Structure formats: C-alpha cells, structure tokens
Amino acid sequence: MPDAAIIDTDALVIGAGPVGLFQVFQLGLQGIHAQVVDVLDQAGGQCIELYPDKPIYDIPGLPYSTGRALTQRLLEQVAPFQPAFHFNQQVGQLDRQPDGRWLVATPKQQFLTRTLFIAAGVGAFVPKELRLDGLPAYADTQLFYRLPNDAQIKGRQVVVLGGEETAVDNAIALATAESPSAASVTLVHRRDVLQARPDALEKLAQLRASGRIAFIAGQITGIETRGGRLVAVKVTTPEDQTLSLPVDVLLVNQGISPKLGPIADWGLAMARKQLSVDPATFATSETGIYAVGDINSYPGKKKLIVCGFHEATLAAFAAASYLDPHASGVLQYTTSSALLQQRLGVKEITSPPAG
C-alpha cells in the first residue's frame, strides 16, 4: 500500500456505471459528498464498455439514448456535487473500524468511510487475458491490457491484439501520436472484420493504406523470448501458417468480462452471487453498507437501469437517516426546495410581476 493519505469521507461508491453515478446524484441531494472508485479508466460501466453506441430505449424521459450519451448526461447531472473519481482501481480490502466506519483499500488508495455503496453491476469489469505460457511474466513491462504511457511506447515495436473498438482506437492513437511515437504499430485480429465506429474504421483504413498501421489476420499462439525479454509473438493465420512477429510492447484489447472479485470475501449475505438487501433501504447485512443495481438481490428484483435508479434513491435516503438520526426526514422536491436548488447550483428564479 502506498503512503498516500487516507481519504476520510461520509460516502464511498464502488462503481461508476449509470446506477453508481445516479447514487452520487441522490447522495448529493441529501448533502452527502461522495468519493467514487471504479476498476475501469472512465465512468459509464458496461454502458460505455460494452455498448457505447447501441440504442437504449427504456430510460425515463429519453425515448432514445446511447450508453455514451447516457453516461455523459449523468456526469453532467452529478457535476454540481463535485464527486471525486478514482479510476483504474479495484477495491480489495474492507474492514470495520472500532468507531463503526469502514476502512476500504485499493492497491493505490485507502478510504475511511461512514457509508459504503456497492454499485458494481455484475462485478468488476476486467480485461480478458491472453493466456499463453510464460506471458504473464512480462505484465506491466512489455504486456499491457490498457494503453501504456508515452515512455513505454517511444521508439518501440507495438503489437495490438483485438478487433473491437478499444483495439482499433488504441492502434490509431499509437500510429498518429506525434511525440513520443511508436516505431511501428501492428494490429492483429483473427479475421479482417473489425467492430468499431464507422469513422474509426475509415481512419484505420487510411493508416493501413499509408503503411502507418500493419494488419495481420490471425491468432497469437505463442511467444519468443531472449535474454529475459519478450522479442516476438507467434501468429497463426487462417491459412494455418505461423508467423514470427517482432514485438517490444504487446497491448491486448480482447474485451472485458465481469468478475465478482473480492466482494465475495467481505462476509456480506449473498444469494446466487448477489448481495442480499432490504428492499426498503437497500442495506446489506452489514450496517452502513448498501448495494444497488445488478449486484443486489431481493424479491421481485429486475435487472434494469431504471430499477437501479429507484434503488439508489431509497439507499440515499436511508444513508442520510443513518448519518444523521435526528434529521427531520421531511421530503423535499427539487421544484420547490430552496435547499435542494442551492445544492444543485440552480440560479434563483424570480417570479414575474403581478398584473
């Protein structure tokens, strides 16, 4: 664990998908500032990772939205509450403290929180690994599952494995970076049919035509090493030929998959790999911990984004009562409450003169 100071907070939200973001919003209306942790490198959860440009038709008030657009709208909605986001971090440790707070730790950061909201969907989305003998030894030095930093690619022969949007975008970014730049960029996919946005595919075609990106249809089936370094990957083509492709940096973008991960070891009551909650408050079996969205289970549960929004609302009210048992609990409305409008940063609206 690094020496970073422990962040003391009233609320920590695990998961920055749509439900996690709406949880932040509802907490903000209650006057509760939130820290947010997500294993991905951006907000949006599976909406942004799995179907950023596919249509969603069942969000209230939005006849049509993409996962990307919905994420952007939610980020705009939470902006007045200035949540602190901590990306590329997976929560591993959870310990109850003598004063009732929870110590929550990732490999990079520790949080001391009075309430915890688990909005982890079907689990933490982690990259699908390329499983080859000997390859894990080069993780974070020559093998990466997310775009490496500039110093790690400068002047290097980079091979990108994958055929979906992330792989295409990363190959384009590597090939068009002005400084520092990779010595070469090769995209490898099992066939010459890629799944990405039309504009990205058009740009890729231009870069292939100009020679800035090479493309090989095939699968990586082995590695070659020399002097403790990865020097080449073996690519088996659809014609059953095996090529030796020189490599300094291997970037694997084969998609992501959900894993429940450490949550299963936290001692929370579960049913079929989902957290059991009280549907009146969405509290788990541990005081101060709530679960919303696809991660929870209760009678009548429906795995819909709109249901997650409802759960986040009730969880926020329950947490507000837990944090301040003496609060009035009077329901306020954003249309008329000066306090809520102040929290939202709404400018004062004056009524037109009578007459």
Side-chain angles (χ1 to χ4, degrees):
M1 176 65 60
D3 296 331
I6 296 176
I7 296 176
D8 196 335
T9 183
D10 281 332
L12 176 65
V13 178
I14 300 176
V19 175
L21 292 175
F22 196 68
Q23 183 69 77
V24 172
F25 175 75
Q26 287 295 335
L27 288 169
L29 289 180
Q30 297 295 326
I32 304 169
H33 180 262
Q35 303 280 330
V36 187
V37 174
D38 198 290
V39 72
L40 298 174
D41 59 0
Q42 61 181 328
Q46 60 179 312
C47 267
I48 206 71
E49 290 291 322
L50 301 183
Y51 45 93
D53 299 305
K54 289 185 178 180
I56 305 171
Y57 298 106
D58 60 350
I59 304 300
L62 295 177
Y64 161 87
S65 179
T66 63
R68 194 190 312 277
L70 177 61
T71 298
Q72 185 56 46
R73 286 175 180 268
L74 287 164
L75 285 171
E76 292 174 3
Q77 192 173 37
V78 304
F81 305 122
Q82 300 180 331
F85 289 97
H86 307 269
F87 294 118
N88 292 316
Q89 299 190 48
Q90 183 174 10
V91 172
Q93 179 183 352
L94 174 67
D95 294 305
R96 170 78 78 175
Q97 302 302 291
D99 63 0
R101 292 184 294 176
W102 293 95
L103 181 65
V104 183
T106 76
K108 301 178 181 179
Q109 184 64 62
Q110 288 183 304
F111 303 86
L112 195 57
T113 183
R114 296 179 67 192
T115 59
L116 178 65
F117 299 82
I118 304 174
V122 290
F125 282 93
V126 296
K128 293 180 180 178
E129 296 182 2
L130 175 61
R131 300 185 181 277
L132 295 174
D133 289 344
L135 186 59
Y138 301 97
D140 299 324
T141 57
Q142 291 183 268
L143 169 66
F144 300 91
Y145 290 93
R146 301 192 188 282
L147 196 64
N149 62 45
D150 292 344
Q152 291 167 318
I153 64 170
K154 183 178 181 180
R156 306 293 178 84
Q157 300 175 101
V158 182
V159 173
V160 181
L161 175 63
E164 297 183 355
E165 189 164 299
T166 300
V168 172
D169 285 346
N170 283 341
I172 292 172
L174 289 164
T176 55
E178 294 183 2
S179 179
S181 61
S184 66
V185 179
T186 303
L187 179 62
V188 177
H189 185 52
R190 63 181 182 276
R191 58 196 182 107
D192 197 356
V193 177
L194 307 173
Q195 302 294 323
R197 304 181 313 279
D199 63 304
L201 292 176
E202 182 180 352
K203 182 64 174 179
L204 178 65
Q206 295 171 357
L207 292 168
R208 288 176 63 178
S210 67
R212 298 185 68 179
I213 292 180
F215 178 84
I216 296 178
Q219 300 187 64
I220 296 179
T221 53
I223 63 174
E224 298 176 19
T225 63
R226 186 183 309 120
R229 286 188 58 80
L230 178 65
V231 296
V233 291
K234 297 177 181 178
V235 180
T236 301
T237 70
E239 295 78 25
D240 208 26
Q241 294 180 323
T242 299
L243 309 175
S244 179
L245 180 61
V247 63
D248 296 311
V249 173
L250 176 59
L251 176 58
V252 178
N253 294 144
Q254 298 185 121
I256 57 175
S257 60
K259 291 184 179 179
L260 192 57
I263 292 174
D265 302 322
W266 290 348
L268 302 173
M270 302 189 73
R272 296 183 180 180
K273 296 184 179 181
Q274 293 172 300
L275 297 173
S276 300
V277 295
D278 176 353
T281 61
F282 295 92
T284 66
S285 58
E286 289 287 348
T287 303
I289 300 182
Y290 306 83
V292 294
D294 290 352
I295 195 71
N296 72 19
S297 175
Y298 57 91
K301 167 73 179 183
K302 296 293 184 292
K303 290 188 176 183
L304 296 170
I305 294 175
V306 65
C307 294
F309 289 167
H310 159 77
E311 295 164 12
T313 303
L314 294 190
F317 276 95
S321 178
Y322 170 71
L323 291 172
D324 185 3
H326 302 295
S328 68
V330 175
L331 187 64
Q332 299 186 59
Y333 302 94
T334 58
T335 53
S336 56
S337 168
L339 175 61
L340 296 185
Q341 291 179 7
Q342 180 184 29
R343 288 172 177 169
L344 286 165
V346 176
K347 294 181 179 180
E348 183 178 354
I349 300 174
T350 56
S351 301

